[in-house]
Structure formats: structure tokens, C-alpha cells
Amino acid sequence: SAYWILAASGWTLQPSRILTRTHNTITSHLHLVPLSTFSQIKFLNEPEKRRVCIGTKGQLRPSLGNGGDDEYVLGVALTQRDLESVAKLTYECFKQEIVVNYDSFSEWEANMIKPIVAAFETYTDGVGYADILTGTQKRAAKSMNQRDGKSLLDIFPCDGNVKGDGNGSSIILALANKQSGRTIASVEVRLLVPDGKIPFSQPSLDELERKVASIFAPNLASKYKGYALKKDIDLDLGQPYLCNLCVDESARGRGIGKALLRCVESLAKDTWKYNRLYLHVDPKNVPAYDLYTKEGYVDVGFRWDPVWAGRAVDIAYVFKDL
């Protein structure tokens, strides 16, 4: 699901470090601010092997036979148009296809069913995209239209004292073409309480589910509170979570997903001074599951599993110490 979130935990009260930038944008089509224009982005100065396919200026390094790859640059999404492009990619990467075996129908039955299926797909496409876009807008409300801000820290709190989920503080990175504005990869980091709940796209639904769970599933609290006690985690405080790591099908196999994951890890550790990253991943999504396990993520050991959770209990809740 596009709504399953990766998360980070652990905090420190080290002084904030301001990340200044110039006010240029990647393209006239989008308004992504290149990550390289911020100071103290350590990921861009890390060894080439660590950055995988991203250059020191945030550009996608050319692969064999792809001389135009350097036209793709990693930037921060700050406007409505940016979020629309990211939401479109997110929906395309996570949408569920309707599969109909027309061989089991007669010709006239198939001809009757096909337009119904097509109409339903059109409807679900519109609803699915709209839900992802509106959810993203709410989660990134504080970063929207912050092109004149001087610091990523104006958007994303890093003193470890933000209560609850810190709604509106999401930062979204996107890898987009400087000329066309086409987005081929994106990732989001936001604040969430590390209680193991798989978040919805709409933040208000998370608040509602927690209230319902406190009444009808009180046993959940003992699971994550026991874990928090062992790890010295304050469950009243939001922690940085990563979500919606997406790579366009045409750009897969280049290590882009690994590079974006490592970039967020670097931001969480070096810029915002947190020390742990959590995530939910479906073990049946083999490429994603393999990526996270190879990068050092291990199972937390508990699940958010109220009676209404259904298949959600099969989703792995893992973390990595940074």
C-alpha cells in the first residue's frame, strides 16, 4: 500500500544546524529546490559507493548509454505542482490492477463486462490519486510554498520535543528531469509516534484509529510500551518516519531506491540528529524487503494488531540503528 510508512526513532537535544540555500528551482514545470543548494547535506559528500547513482550535486549519474541522465536532479518538493507530480508517481507505483479472465466468459458476456471494468478502473484511478494527493498535501502542509525559507529545519523540527505525529511537517524528495519536469523517483520523511501502527494517507484517520484502539484494543499499548521502555523511547514524542519510497518502472535496477533510502538515513542522523529509522514493509514485496534487510533493517518484534487489522498483521515492522 502507498500508505505503509517507514519510520525513525531515537532523539537527541544537540543544537540545530541551519541549512541555507539559494533560491533557484530545478525547472519551470516544477519548483523542486535542488538538495545540493542546502548546506551541510552530508549525503552528497559521502563516498561514491555510498551514494550509489547520485552525484555530488544531486544529479543522477549517467548509466551506460544514457547520456541524458544528468538532467535528473534530486530536489525538495515545495509546491502544489511538485506534490501533484509526486502523487501521480506514487499512485502508479502502488495501484492495484484489476485482472479479469475473459476466457471464462462467452463473447457477448466479455463485451458486456469490459466497459464496466474500464469504467471502474477510471473511477478508482481518480479516487486513488485524489486520496494520495490530498493526504500528501496535509502531511506536507508546513513545507508547501516555503521556497523563501532558508532552512530545512524551518519545515522539519529536529529538537526531539515534538508531541505526537507532527502533522504537516513532511519533507518530500523527488528525482526529476530539469527540462521536462518528469519525476522518476520520490521519498517522504515525516514525524510519527513509533507505536507500530501502519499509517493511513490521511493523518486524521490515524488519530481516530488510535482513539478507537485505546477503547477496544487496550492490549496494544502493553506491546509497544514494553518495547519503548527497553529502548528508552518516549512514545509521546514524534520521530522521523520515511514513507512512499517510489521508483518509476522505467528507472528501476539502477540503485535509485537504495540511494534515496540512504539519503534519508543521512538526513535523519546527520542533519536532524535522530538515531533510528523504522519502516513497514510487505515481505511479499520481495525487491523492497530484500533492499531493507540488506541495508541492515531488523524486525522490531511486535505488531499493531487490533481485531480489525486483517492482513496488516503480516506487514513487517523493522528498524535500523543509524
Side-chain angles (χ1 to χ4, degrees):
S1 166
Y3 316 139
W4 296 335
I5 306 300
L6 299 93
S9 179
W11 57 277
T12 175
L13 296 179
Q14 295 183 27
S16 301
R17 297 185 179 182
I18 300 302
L19 309 179
T20 58
R21 64 170 171 82
T22 57
H23 300 294
N24 56 319
T25 58
I26 284 180
T27 159
S28 59
H29 299 272
L30 301 179
H31 297 284
L32 298 170
V33 178
L35 192 63
S36 61
T37 61
F38 292 88
S39 64
Q40 299 179 358
I41 302 296
K42 291 188 177 181
F43 174 75
L44 298 180
N45 296 319
E46 290 181 353
E48 181 176 322
K49 185 176 181 180
R50 175 71 180 169
R51 289 182 279 107
V52 194
C53 57
I54 301 297
T56 56
K57 295 182 179 180
Q59 79 280 15
L60 178 62
R61 289 207 306 264
S63 63
L64 187 62
N66 288 287
D69 281 350
D70 58 351
E71 295 299 315
Y72 286 89
V73 176
L74 187 60
V76 182
L78 297 177
T79 69
Q80 173 70 16
R81 187 173 295 178
D82 297 340
L83 297 190
E84 290 173 355
S85 180
V86 169
K88 180 180 179 181
L89 173 65
T90 303
Y91 178 70
E92 289 298 322
C93 287
F94 287 105
K95 72 177 181 180
Q96 301 294 317
E97 300 288 347
I98 299 175
V99 179
V100 180
N101 182 12
Y102 290 106
D103 293 338
S104 62
F105 298 97
S106 66
E107 183 177 355
W108 74 268
E109 287 175 328
N111 289 335
M112 289 287 291
I113 293 172
K114 285 179 180 178
I116 297 175
V117 171
F120 183 74
E121 287 181 331
T122 300
Y123 171 76
T124 54
D125 281 352
V127 172
Y129 167 75
D131 182 59
I132 291 175
L133 177 59
T134 57
T136 304
Q137 290 170 333
K138 292 175 182 177
R139 298 193 306 273
K142 294 180 181 177
S143 61
M144 289 281 287
N145 299 310
Q146 291 292 322
R147 296 170 62 191
D148 294 328
K150 296 182 179 180
S151 169
L152 282 179
L153 303 181
D154 292 338
I155 305 168
F156 196 96
C158 73
D159 64 0
N161 289 316
V162 177
K163 297 290 185 179
D165 285 348
N167 292 329
S169 297
S170 285
I171 286 181
I172 300 171
L173 304 180
L175 190 62
N177 187 284
K178 292 186 289 185
Q179 302 303 320
S180 69
R182 178 179 176 235
T183 299
I184 60 170
S186 63
V187 66
E188 176 182 343
V189 61
R190 58 183 289 202
L191 288 176
L192 284 177
V193 174
D195 57 8
K197 199 187 88 63
I198 300 175
F200 292 96
S201 179
Q202 304 293 335
S204 59
L205 294 180
D206 292 323
E207 298 174 7
L208 176 61
E209 186 179 22
R210 286 194 177 99
K211 291 179 180 178
V212 172
S214 67
I215 299 172
F216 296 103
N219 62 305
L220 287 175
S222 62
K223 293 182 180 181
Y224 60 76
K225 286 182 179 178
Y227 171 80
L229 183 61
K230 291 179 182 178
K231 299 293 183 179
D232 193 26
I233 298 171
D234 188 339
L235 287 172
D236 291 330
L237 302 177
Q239 309 295 339
Y241 284 65
L242 183 152
C243 68
N244 296 343
L245 176 56
C246 305
V247 180
D248 186 85
E249 188 174 2
S250 65
R252 293 172 189 171
R254 300 276 305 276
I256 293 175
K258 181 188 293 185
L260 293 186
L261 175 62
R262 291 178 175 180
C263 181
V264 170
E265 290 176 351
S266 176
L267 290 175
K269 178 183 178 181
D270 300 320
T271 302
W272 296 313
K273 306 305 177 184
Y274 290 85
N275 59 21
R276 187 170 291 132
L277 192 65
Y278 289 84
L279 64 95
H280 289 93
V281 59
D282 188 350
K284 293 182 180 180
N285 184 347
V286 177
Y289 189 78
D290 286 349
L291 167 64
Y292 299 130
T293 54
K294 289 178 181 178
E295 288 297 299
Y297 289 82
V298 296
D299 200 285
V300 168
F302 69 88
R303 300 288 183 270
W304 175 276
D305 57 355
V307 294
W308 58 84
R311 184 181 166 272
V313 298
D314 298 328
I315 304 303
Y317 186 38
V318 300
F319 78 96
K320 177 180 178 180
D321 286 321
L322 303 177

